C-alpha cells in the first residue's frame, strides 16, 4: 500500500479537494485499492468541520464529492504513518519540515511537483477570494493527482 497525506493550512479547502481528486482518479483507473489516502491541516481552527461550501461545490462540478470529510490537524504520527506528505504551498511545506521529527519516515514534498507542466509550484489559498479561485485550485488538484498516480 502506498500512503499519501495531502496537507494545506485549514484542511477545509485545498487538501480535502486534493485527497478527493486523487481518490476520484485512482478509482476511475481501478487502482483505489493500492492506496491509503487522507488529508490534514497544519492549523487547528477548523478541526471537525466539513469542507468549505465553495470547495465542495467546485469538486462536485469536477465530478467528485468531498462532503463527508472532516478537518483534522497534522500530528506527529503522520510522519511515520504515511510515505509521502504532500504540501499544497510553500508555507505548508516549511511548516511541515519544521514539525517533522528527526526520525520521520515520511517524505515531505510539494504537491505541485507532480504537475510541473502547470507552471506553478503552489496551489494558492482560495479561502479569501471568489469562486474562480476554487475552480482553479481544483484544476490544479486534479493535475497533481494525475501526476502522482502516474508516478506511483
Ligand atoms: P485551506 O484554506 O488551507 O485550503 O483549507 C484555508 C482555510 C481556512 C483558513 C485559511 C486557509 N483560515 O485562515 O481560517
Amino acid at each position: 500500500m502506498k500512503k499519501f497525506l495531502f496537507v494545506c493550512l485549514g484542511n477545509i479547502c485545498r487538501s480535502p479537494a486534493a485527497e478527493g481528486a486523487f481518490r476520484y482518479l485512482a478509482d476511475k483507473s481501478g487502482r483505489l485499492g493500492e492506496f491509503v489516502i487522507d488529508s490534514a491541516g497544519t492549523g487547528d481552527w477548523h478541526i471537525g468541520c466539513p469542507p468549505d461550501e465553495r470547495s465542495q461545490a467546485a469538486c462536485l462540478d469536477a465530478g467528485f464529492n468531498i462532503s463527508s470529510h472532516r478537518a483534522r490537524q497534522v500530528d506527529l504520527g503522520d510522519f511515520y504513518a504515511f510515505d509521502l506528505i504532500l504540501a499544497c504551498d510553500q508555507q505548508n511545506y516549511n511548516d511541515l519540515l519544521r514539525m517533522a521529527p528527526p526520525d520521520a519516515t515520511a517524505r515531505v514534498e510539494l504537491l505541485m511537483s507532480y504537475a510541473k507542466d502547470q507552471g506553478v509550484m503552489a496551489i494558492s489559498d482560495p479561502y479569501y477570494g471568489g469562486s474562480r479561485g476554487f475552480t482553479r485550485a481544483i484544476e490544479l488538484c486534479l493535475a497533481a493527482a494525475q501526476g502522482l498516480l502516474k508516478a506511483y
Side-chain angles (χ1 to χ4, degrees), residues 8-16 45-46 52 88 92 125-128:
C8 62
L9 178 60
N11 193 218
I12 57 168
C13 298
R14 293 165 292 172
S15 61
W45 309 284
H46 302 283
D52 186 286
C88 286
N92 308 147
D125 188 350
Y127 188 66
Y128 293 104

PDB file of all heavy atoms in Angstrom, residues 8-16 45-46 52 88 92 125-128, ligand 1:
ATOM      1  N   CYS A   8      -2.805  21.139   3.690  1.00  0.00           N
ATOM      2  CA  CYS A   8      -2.867  22.587   3.474  1.00  0.00           C
ATOM      3  C   CYS A   8      -2.925  23.251   4.846  1.00  0.00           C
ATOM      4  O   CYS A   8      -2.526  22.657   5.852  1.00  0.00           O
ATOM      5  CB  CYS A   8      -4.049  22.968   2.577  1.00  0.00           C
ATOM      6  SG  CYS A   8      -5.675  22.546   3.250  1.00  0.00           S
ATOM      7  N   LEU A   9      -3.431  24.462   4.913  1.00  0.00           N
ATOM      8  CA  LEU A   9      -3.456  25.177   6.192  1.00  0.00           C
ATOM      9  C   LEU A   9      -4.664  24.767   7.042  1.00  0.00           C
ATOM     10  O   LEU A   9      -4.532  24.335   8.185  1.00  0.00           O
ATOM     11  CB  LEU A   9      -3.467  26.689   5.906  1.00  0.00           C
ATOM     12  CG  LEU A   9      -3.542  27.643   7.086  1.00  0.00           C
ATOM     13  CD1 LEU A   9      -2.345  27.454   8.010  1.00  0.00           C
ATOM     14  CD2 LEU A   9      -3.585  29.085   6.580  1.00  0.00           C
ATOM     15  N   GLY A  10      -5.862  24.896   6.469  1.00  0.00           N
ATOM     16  CA  GLY A  10      -7.074  24.688   7.261  1.00  0.00           C
ATOM     17  C   GLY A  10      -7.709  23.310   7.136  1.00  0.00           C
ATOM     18  O   GLY A  10      -8.555  22.937   7.938  1.00  0.00           O
ATOM     19  N   ASN A  11      -7.327  22.556   6.089  1.00  0.00           N
ATOM     20  CA  ASN A  11      -7.950  21.263   5.755  1.00  0.00           C
ATOM     21  C   ASN A  11      -9.453  21.387   5.494  1.00  0.00           C
ATOM     22  O   ASN A  11     -10.222  20.476   5.754  1.00  0.00           O
ATOM     23  CB  ASN A  11      -7.667  20.196   6.831  1.00  0.00           C
ATOM     24  CG  ASN A  11      -7.995  18.770   6.416  1.00  0.00           C
ATOM     25  OD1 ASN A  11      -8.478  17.974   7.216  1.00  0.00           O
ATOM     26  ND2 ASN A  11      -7.774  18.416   5.172  1.00  0.00           N
ATOM     27  N   ILE A  12      -9.838  22.550   4.958  1.00  0.00           N
ATOM     28  CA  ILE A  12     -11.243  22.702   4.549  1.00  0.00           C
ATOM     29  C   ILE A  12     -11.386  23.109   3.082  1.00  0.00           C
ATOM     30  O   ILE A  12     -12.486  23.039   2.533  1.00  0.00           O
ATOM     31  CB  ILE A  12     -12.028  23.705   5.431  1.00  0.00           C
ATOM     32  CG1 ILE A  12     -11.369  25.074   5.451  1.00  0.00           C
ATOM     33  CG2 ILE A  12     -12.231  23.141   6.837  1.00  0.00           C
ATOM     34  CD1 ILE A  12     -12.253  26.156   6.067  1.00  0.00           C
ATOM     35  N   CYS A  13     -10.300  23.558   2.429  1.00  0.00           N
ATOM     36  CA  CYS A  13     -10.418  23.963   1.016  1.00  0.00           C
ATOM     37  C   CYS A  13      -9.561  23.091   0.099  1.00  0.00           C
ATOM     38  O   CYS A  13     -10.079  22.266  -0.648  1.00  0.00           O
ATOM     39  CB  CYS A  13     -10.028  25.430   0.839  1.00  0.00           C
ATOM     40  SG  CYS A  13     -11.075  26.575   1.748  1.00  0.00           S
ATOM     41  N   ARG A  14      -8.231  23.286   0.159  1.00  0.00           N
ATOM     42  CA  ARG A  14      -7.364  22.651  -0.840  1.00  0.00           C
ATOM     43  C   ARG A  14      -7.071  21.184  -0.578  1.00  0.00           C
ATOM     44  O   ARG A  14      -7.202  20.362  -1.495  1.00  0.00           O
ATOM     45  CB  ARG A  14      -6.032  23.418  -0.929  1.00  0.00           C
ATOM     46  CG  ARG A  14      -6.198  24.819  -1.483  1.00  0.00           C
ATOM     47  CD  ARG A  14      -4.963  25.646  -1.211  1.00  0.00           C
ATOM     48  NE  ARG A  14      -4.809  25.905   0.224  1.00  0.00           N
ATOM     49  CZ  ARG A  14      -3.749  26.478   0.785  1.00  0.00           C
ATOM     50  NH1 ARG A  14      -2.733  26.832   0.027  1.00  0.00           N
ATOM     51  NH2 ARG A  14      -3.717  26.701   2.078  1.00  0.00           N
ATOM     52  N   SER A  15      -6.632  20.831   0.631  1.00  0.00           N
ATOM     53  CA  SER A  15      -6.196  19.428   0.817  1.00  0.00           C
ATOM     54  C   SER A  15      -7.339  18.413   0.773  1.00  0.00           C
ATOM     55  O   SER A  15      -7.133  17.312   0.256  1.00  0.00           O
ATOM     56  CB  SER A  15      -5.326  19.257   2.065  1.00  0.00           C
ATOM     57  OG  SER A  15      -5.996  19.598   3.241  1.00  0.00           O
ATOM     58  N   PRO A  16      -8.555  18.742   1.257  1.00  0.00           N
ATOM     59  CA  PRO A  16      -9.642  17.762   1.061  1.00  0.00           C
ATOM     60  C   PRO A  16      -9.967  17.598  -0.427  1.00  0.00           C
ATOM     61  O   PRO A  16     -10.329  16.503  -0.873  1.00  0.00           O
ATOM     62  CB  PRO A  16     -10.850  18.373   1.795  1.00  0.00           C
ATOM     63  CG  PRO A  16     -10.329  19.518   2.581  1.00  0.00           C
ATOM     64  CD  PRO A  16      -8.994  19.905   2.028  1.00  0.00           C
ATOM     65  N   TRP A  45      -7.780  25.590  13.423  1.00  0.00           N
ATOM     66  CA  TRP A  45      -9.017  26.386  13.523  1.00  0.00           C
ATOM     67  C   TRP A  45     -10.273  25.631  13.137  1.00  0.00           C
ATOM     68  O   TRP A  45     -11.356  25.920  13.608  1.00  0.00           O
ATOM     69  CB  TRP A  45      -8.942  27.633  12.632  1.00  0.00           C
ATOM     70  CG  TRP A  45      -7.711  28.444  12.838  1.00  0.00           C
ATOM     71  CD1 TRP A  45      -7.461  29.283  13.885  1.00  0.00           C
ATOM     72  CD2 TRP A  45      -6.555  28.469  11.997  1.00  0.00           C
ATOM     73  NE1 TRP A  45      -6.215  29.825  13.735  1.00  0.00           N
ATOM     74  CE2 TRP A  45      -5.644  29.350  12.592  1.00  0.00           C
ATOM     75  CE3 TRP A  45      -6.214  27.824  10.808  1.00  0.00           C
ATOM     76  CZ2 TRP A  45      -4.396  29.617  12.037  1.00  0.00           C
ATOM     77  CZ3 TRP A  45      -4.977  28.098  10.249  1.00  0.00           C
ATOM     78  CH2 TRP A  45      -4.090  28.976  10.863  1.00  0.00           C
ATOM     79  N   HIS A  46     -10.145  24.688  12.214  1.00  0.00           N
ATOM     80  CA  HIS A  46     -11.357  24.090  11.626  1.00  0.00           C
ATOM     81  C   HIS A  46     -11.530  22.614  11.960  1.00  0.00           C
ATOM     82  O   HIS A  46     -12.305  21.918  11.295  1.00  0.00           O
ATOM     83  CB  HIS A  46     -11.357  24.300  10.111  1.00  0.00           C
ATOM     84  CG  HIS A  46     -11.288  25.731   9.710  1.00  0.00           C
ATOM     85  ND1 HIS A  46     -12.379  26.572   9.780  1.00  0.00           N
ATOM     86  CD2 HIS A  46     -10.260  26.494   9.302  1.00  0.00           C
ATOM     87  CE1 HIS A  46     -12.021  27.779   9.403  1.00  0.00           C
ATOM     88  NE2 HIS A  46     -10.737  27.773   9.109  1.00  0.00           N
ATOM     89  N   ASP A  52     -15.172  23.609   3.220  1.00  0.00           N
ATOM     90  CA  ASP A  52     -15.795  24.867   2.820  1.00  0.00           C
ATOM     91  C   ASP A  52     -16.802  24.595   1.685  1.00  0.00           C
ATOM     92  O   ASP A  52     -16.512  23.831   0.765  1.00  0.00           O
ATOM     93  CB  ASP A  52     -14.672  25.797   2.328  1.00  0.00           C
ATOM     94  CG  ASP A  52     -15.158  27.196   2.023  1.00  0.00           C
ATOM     95  OD1 ASP A  52     -15.836  27.376   0.986  1.00  0.00           O
ATOM     96  OD2 ASP A  52     -14.833  28.104   2.804  1.00  0.00           O
ATOM     97  N   CYS A  88       0.425  21.692  -0.096  1.00  0.00           N
ATOM     98  CA  CYS A  88      -0.215  22.485  -1.152  1.00  0.00           C
ATOM     99  C   CYS A  88       0.566  23.751  -1.509  1.00  0.00           C
ATOM    100  O   CYS A  88       0.511  24.199  -2.651  1.00  0.00           O
ATOM    101  CB  CYS A  88      -1.644  22.865  -0.751  1.00  0.00           C
ATOM    102  SG  CYS A  88      -2.788  21.475  -0.847  1.00  0.00           S
ATOM    103  N   ASN A  92       3.003  25.712   3.790  1.00  0.00           N
ATOM    104  CA  ASN A  92       2.650  24.392   4.336  1.00  0.00           C
ATOM    105  C   ASN A  92       3.890  23.504   4.380  1.00  0.00           C
ATOM    106  O   ASN A  92       4.135  22.799   5.364  1.00  0.00           O
ATOM    107  CB  ASN A  92       1.585  23.687   3.483  1.00  0.00           C
ATOM    108  CG  ASN A  92       0.336  24.489   3.196  1.00  0.00           C
ATOM    109  OD1 ASN A  92      -0.258  24.343   2.124  1.00  0.00           O
ATOM    110  ND2 ASN A  92      -0.082  25.347   4.120  1.00  0.00           N
ATOM    111  N   ASP A 125      -3.908  29.752  -1.728  1.00  0.00           N
ATOM    112  CA  ASP A 125      -5.044  29.670  -0.818  1.00  0.00           C
ATOM    113  C   ASP A 125      -6.258  30.421  -1.389  1.00  0.00           C
ATOM    114  O   ASP A 125      -6.207  31.626  -1.574  1.00  0.00           O
ATOM    115  CB  ASP A 125      -4.596  30.309   0.500  1.00  0.00           C
ATOM    116  CG  ASP A 125      -5.615  30.114   1.597  1.00  0.00           C
ATOM    117  OD1 ASP A 125      -6.734  29.659   1.293  1.00  0.00           O
ATOM    118  OD2 ASP A 125      -5.274  30.422   2.745  1.00  0.00           O
ATOM    119  N   PRO A 126      -7.359  29.711  -1.674  1.00  0.00           N
ATOM    120  CA  PRO A 126      -8.526  30.369  -2.265  1.00  0.00           C
ATOM    121  C   PRO A 126      -9.496  30.936  -1.224  1.00  0.00           C
ATOM    122  O   PRO A 126     -10.515  31.533  -1.565  1.00  0.00           O
ATOM    123  CB  PRO A 126      -9.205  29.221  -3.038  1.00  0.00           C
ATOM    124  CG  PRO A 126      -8.915  28.010  -2.202  1.00  0.00           C
ATOM    125  CD  PRO A 126      -7.567  28.242  -1.538  1.00  0.00           C
ATOM    126  N   TYR A 127      -9.178  30.752   0.061  1.00  0.00           N
ATOM    127  CA  TYR A 127     -10.159  30.987   1.138  1.00  0.00           C
ATOM    128  C   TYR A 127     -10.735  32.391   1.138  1.00  0.00           C
ATOM    129  O   TYR A 127     -11.926  32.581   1.350  1.00  0.00           O
ATOM    130  CB  TYR A 127      -9.498  30.686   2.481  1.00  0.00           C
ATOM    131  CG  TYR A 127     -10.424  30.695   3.671  1.00  0.00           C
ATOM    132  CD1 TYR A 127     -11.423  29.737   3.804  1.00  0.00           C
ATOM    133  CD2 TYR A 127     -10.283  31.651   4.672  1.00  0.00           C
ATOM    134  CE1 TYR A 127     -12.259  29.728   4.914  1.00  0.00           C
ATOM    135  CE2 TYR A 127     -11.117  31.648   5.793  1.00  0.00           C
ATOM    136  CZ  TYR A 127     -12.098  30.680   5.901  1.00  0.00           C
ATOM    137  OH  TYR A 127     -12.921  30.681   7.001  1.00  0.00           O
ATOM    138  N   TYR A 128      -9.865  33.399   0.906  1.00  0.00           N
ATOM    139  CA  TYR A 128     -10.346  34.787   0.990  1.00  0.00           C
ATOM    140  C   TYR A 128     -10.743  35.372  -0.363  1.00  0.00           C
ATOM    141  O   TYR A 128     -11.017  36.561  -0.470  1.00  0.00           O
ATOM    142  CB  TYR A 128      -9.294  35.674   1.668  1.00  0.00           C
ATOM    143  CG  TYR A 128      -9.108  35.296   3.123  1.00  0.00           C
ATOM    144  CD1 TYR A 128      -7.994  34.584   3.540  1.00  0.00           C
ATOM    145  CD2 TYR A 128     -10.083  35.617   4.073  1.00  0.00           C
ATOM    146  CE1 TYR A 128      -7.840  34.204   4.860  1.00  0.00           C
ATOM    147  CE2 TYR A 128      -9.937  35.239   5.393  1.00  0.00           C
ATOM    148  CZ  TYR A 128      -8.819  34.533   5.779  1.00  0.00           C
ATOM    149  OH  TYR A 128      -8.677  34.155   7.095  1.00  0.00           O
TER     150      TYR A 128
HETATM  151  P1  LIG B   1      -7.180  25.665   3.157  1.00  0.00           P
HETATM  152  O1  LIG B   1      -7.828  27.110   3.181  1.00  0.00           O
HETATM  153  O2  LIG B   1      -5.819  25.787   3.825  1.00  0.00           O
HETATM  154  O3  LIG B   1      -7.045  25.373   1.709  1.00  0.00           O
HETATM  155  O4  LIG B   1      -8.108  24.740   3.884  1.00  0.00           O
HETATM  156  C1  LIG B   1      -7.930  27.878   4.348  1.00  0.00           C
HETATM  157  C2  LIG B   1      -8.982  27.694   5.201  1.00  0.00           C
HETATM  158  C3  LIG B   1      -9.107  28.487   6.331  1.00  0.00           C
HETATM  159  C4  LIG B   1      -8.162  29.447   6.591  1.00  0.00           C
HETATM  160  C5  LIG B   1      -7.112  29.625   5.739  1.00  0.00           C
HETATM  161  C6  LIG B   1      -6.994  28.833   4.612  1.00  0.00           C
HETATM  162  N1  LIG B   1      -8.292  30.264   7.726  1.00  0.00           N
HETATM  163  O5  LIG B   1      -7.474  31.180   7.892  1.00  0.00           O
HETATM  164  O6  LIG B   1      -9.212  30.064   8.529  1.00  0.00           O
END
